[in-house]
Amino acid sequence: LNGSGWRRMAGSTFTVKAGDKLYLSSNPNGMKSYVWNGPNGFTKNGNRNGDILLANEIQASMSGEYEVTLTYSNGCVKKKSFTLNVLTPPSDFFAHWKLDDDAKDAIGDAHGQIKGGAQLVNDPIRGKVLSISKNGDHVHVPAKPQMQVGVGGKDFSVAFWMKLTQDHTGKWRTVMHKGSGVWDRTFAMWMRPHDNRIHFRVGTTHNRNEGGNSNQELKLDTWTHVAYVHKGKKLRLYING
């Protein structure tokens, strides 16, 4: 199984995202011919090694079990199978950065770039995570059409997990900021200088700097879920809720 540049042996369950390009591969030593069978009447056979293009863009309907029957030159016949799960993200997602292997957008093309000394590290609770420890460490995501959130007063939300490992420093520390300059706040969040509350802001046609502060402080060395929600004429920040 070969999809989006990765390859696996048959015999397991694989999860891919809708829109991926997917190849089936069957090329063990001594193989004479193969027959692939899958969902919705899919079948493909051949008598040489090589990859079969299953789809340029995988669809959810292609989920299911795939089986290959291999016939070898010595007459031996073997069968192998795998199960394919195709994930289709909610239609209202504009981007999803898992930050497990890189800063790529898992559902689109709003790919980020890891900058400064930021790096992916292993966390005992959440697995691979992005570690940011000093000024200049960040992920930069270039402008994309789907990133024009809130245009015309439309609702949107931004949610993420974070673990604060350093107490307040007396300085503003950026959590997340979308905009070309510090006063372009089409969403923005900072850690406050003198406590561990989040300062959350948004720029509007009425005021370039509207928002508030979280009611509670983030606990040190604890994973916290943060949700920044713009709905109607209100902007709210949810901490673990």
Side-chain angles (χ1 to χ4, degrees):
L1 175 64
N2 183 3
S4 293
W6 52 268
R7 187 179 296 267
R8 299 286 188 272
M9 294 296 292
S12 300
T13 298
F14 301 100
T15 300
V16 297
K17 68 178 186 294
D20 265 355
K21 179 179 287 188
L22 187 71
Y23 291 89
L24 300 176
S25 180
S26 52
N27 53 3
N29 292 331
M31 186 195 73
K32 182 180 179 181
S33 64
Y34 63 83
V35 178
W36 278 100
N37 291 291
N40 303 312
F42 170 79
T43 184
K44 186 72 174 181
N45 60 73
N47 55 11
R48 62 182 180 84
N49 298 345
D51 293 339
I52 302 167
L53 178 63
L54 178 61
N56 274 310
E57 293 188 4
I58 307 171
Q59 304 299 320
S61 60
M62 302 176 77
S63 295
E65 185 177 32
Y66 289 80
E67 182 183 76
V68 62
T69 301
L70 305 171
T71 301
Y72 292 80
S73 300
N74 61 6
C76 181
V77 176
K78 292 184 178 180
K79 292 186 177 183
K80 292 186 177 182
S81 64
F82 71 91
T83 300
L84 181 68
N85 291 327
V86 182
L87 295 181
T88 303
S91 59
D92 56 355
F93 268 33
F94 62 84
H96 181 200
W97 298 276
K98 296 181 179 181
L99 299 174
D100 47 8
D101 291 315
D102 49 39
K104 289 185 177 181
D105 177 8
I107 64 172
D109 63 351
H111 303 311
Q113 299 174 332
I114 298 175
K115 300 285 189 177
Q119 58 183 326
L120 296 170
V121 300
N122 287 311
D123 179 83
I125 295 176
R126 302 202 61 82
K128 279 286 186 68
V129 298
L130 180 73
S131 175
I132 296 175
S133 58
K134 67 181 186 302
N135 187 37
D137 295 357
H138 67 286
V139 170
H140 176 254
V141 179
K144 290 287 182 179
Q146 64 268 36
M147 297 291 292
Q148 300 302 310
V149 298
V151 174
K154 290 184 178 180
D155 298 342
F156 72 93
S157 61
V158 181
F160 56 94
W161 287 91
M162 66 178 291
K163 182 168 73 171
L164 190 65
T165 59
Q166 184 182 30
D167 209 352
H168 48 85
T169 64
K171 296 180 179 181
W172 293 99
R173 293 175 291 170
T174 304
V175 176
M176 195 173 297
H177 174 245
K178 180 181 181 296
S180 57
V182 67
W183 287 107
D184 188 4
R185 302 177 173 188
T186 52
F187 54 81
M189 284 168 272
W190 292 266
M191 297 305 303
R192 285 164 49 91
H194 303 298
D195 59 39
N196 290 329
R197 293 190 292 160
I198 296 178
H199 182 68
F200 61 100
R201 315 304 283 177
V202 68
T204 70
T205 54
H206 175 70
N207 187 336
R208 65 178 182 175
N209 188 38
E210 297 198 56
N213 301 301
S214 63
N215 291 328
Q216 66 186 79
E217 295 191 48
L218 271 61
K219 295 180 180 180
L220 287 174
D221 299 314
T222 301
W223 281 105
T224 302
H225 188 266
V226 179
Y228 170 112
V229 179
H230 172 274
K231 186 174 183 180
K233 295 183 178 181
K234 294 184 178 181
L235 180 66
R236 289 190 173 97
L237 193 77
Y238 296 89
I239 305 295
N240 292 326

